[in-house]
Amino acid sequence: MRYISTRGTAPILDFDAVTLAGLASDGGLYVPETWPHLAPVEITAMAGLSYVETAVRVCLPFVGTALTEAELRDLLATAYGSFDHAAVTPLVQLDQRHWLLELFHGPTLAFKDVAMQALGLLFENFLGRSGKAVTIIGATSGDTGSAAINALAGRDRVEVFMLHPRGRVSDVQRRQMTTVLAPNIHNIAVEGNFDDAQALVKAMFNDPDFSGRFNLSAVNSINWARLMLQIVYYFYAAVRLGAPHRPISFAVPTGNFGDVFAGYVARQMGLPIDRLIVATNSNDILHRALSAGDYSAGQVTPTDSPSMDIQVSSNFERLLFDLGGRDGAATAAAMRGFEKTKAMAIPADQRAAAAAIFDSARVDADSMARTIRWARDKCGQIIDPHTAVGLAAARASAGDTPVVTLATAHPAKFPDAVERAGGLRPVLPQRAQGLFDREERYATMAADLTTVEAYIAARAQPSA
Ligand SMILES: *Cc1c(COP(=O)(O)O)cnc(C)c1O
């Protein structure tokens, strides 16, 4: 499989190069040149397969010749061996129509582990072959950072610099990052919000002096391999509920549009997904874009679902590119305009194409809290605020198609917010205990490019 940039001019890459590259050199995001297709008989044949075996079938066409099927199977079995549930991503039925897909059984209690545990192994494999070292620079609203740090701590040839907005991640999230003391892990608390941290990362990638000195890479959801690994659970869940013979909808608590884009890809690959419900908190740029064509970034409002406190959703560019007929020059022009004005009107044809697939909803704090109580009182489930945003949108959706809400975090990752909303304080599962007894290590600095670059330059491995 070959990968092309959404902005049309970056070099075409294979799977191993695209995994290590992250952002494309023209500022765009990599996507497969074509969507692989699984026929209904192939989807039917997934019934009863293990998670790992499902993942092999979904990922193989994207991986191409970068790994043999046996190598891929081995790698996935190792990655998902660290999960505390044999089904990896178990389904829980809430009522006649609603289901939760629990994506938080990995080591850091959020769905990011599902992709990151495998991505860490892909990095190690591809770097070992090439003999190169990489410097990973990322911005996190909490969960990406902890998942990446857990997956990459102590790995050879990888130096990780993770920026988080100071004071805007939960204590559990921060400690999952800052208590990892492996020498290749560097945490930076930035004075600012997530978008400030993200803007710094983008600026470092776009600074030719700086990026020329280091072999920079990214592990946020602009990384194609992460999205590929997230496509798997859409197939896994839908097949368990009767796909391809019964259409299923998914409600996805959304921030950077990575997780829900993986659902879009599953649908492009032939999985009969009826609706993809994009659920946002009060940071609702995606809801405004999909419902009114208004893709304009406002100020970030802090909420109880901090991993969705995002105004600029990087992966939305992948959707616009695909829905707009895969015209790299047009996408580049549109995104350059957006970067200048922080606003863009979605063209009518792309809006119509999106409306055929996506619904969207903005879920405010009250509705989120009511949904936590509903799940507790009616279903005996303690859910986290991100999941509650998704479930609120699912319950507000029309029709009677079964809806799977992606449960993106364990409630114990956000105990204060869950307690405020529902009165029950979730306890940390066994695999995360001890977090509050460990030493923390991180640097704090202003959201200033020169300062952050100097800090990283003093610690990163220069490219050969
Ligand atoms: C990252 C995250 C999200 C948002 O996922 P995107 O891929 O950025 O849309 C939602 N919930 C939780 C718990 C997360 O960690």
Side-chain angles (χ1 to χ4, degrees), residues 3-13 18 21-31 202 205-207 211 222 317-318 321 326-337 339:
Y3 292 86
I4 57 171
S5 166
T6 52
R7 300 198 190 176
T9 55
I12 293 173
L13 301 181
V18 91
L23 202 67
S25 59
D26 57 5
L29 304 176
Y30 277 106
V31 290
K202 280 206 177 137
F205 275 85
N206 291 333
D207 172 352
S211 61
I222 63 173
E317 177 169 343
R318 285 186 159 114
F321 174 72
R326 299 194 145 224
D327 179 343
T331 308
M335 294 313 299
R336 272 197 300 272
E339 279 153 16

Side-chain angles (χ1 to χ4, degrees), residues 51 79-80 82-83 88-90 101-119 140-148 151 173 176 219-223 225-234 251-263 279 305-308 310 315 384 386-387 405-411 413-414 431:
Y51 190 87
Y80 298 119
S82 67
F83 280 57
V88 182
T89 63
L101 182 62
E102 293 186 347
L103 301 176
F104 51 70
H105 288 274
T108 71
L109 313 181
F111 87 92
K112 307 272 191 327
D113 287 326
V114 179
M116 209 67 85
Q117 287 292 310
L119 187 65
T140 182
S141 48
D143 295 331
T144 296
S146 51
Q173 286 179 313
Q176 283 177 329
V219 292
N220 59 5
S221 57
I222 63 173
N223 184 295
R226 260 188 68 177
L227 295 192
M228 171 193 80
L229 292 155
Q230 292 171 212
I231 300 166
V232 175
Y233 46 71
Y234 287 91
V252 187
T254 305
N256 228 344
F257 207 75
D259 211 3
V260 70
F261 188 75
S305 44
S307 301
M308 300 158 65
I310 289 174
N315 280 293
D384 103 288
H386 303 79
T387 305
T405 297
L406 302 193
T408 51
H410 192 289
K413 205 160 186 179
F414 303 94
R431 65 189 185 285

Side-chain angles (χ1 to χ4, degrees), residues 267 273-276 323 349-359:
R267 194 175 183 277
I273 293 177
D274 180 17
R275 307 296 296 171
L276 285 166
L323 295 180
D349 52 339
Q350 288 170 41
R351 260 183 86 182
I357 303 169
F358 295 95
D359 289 321

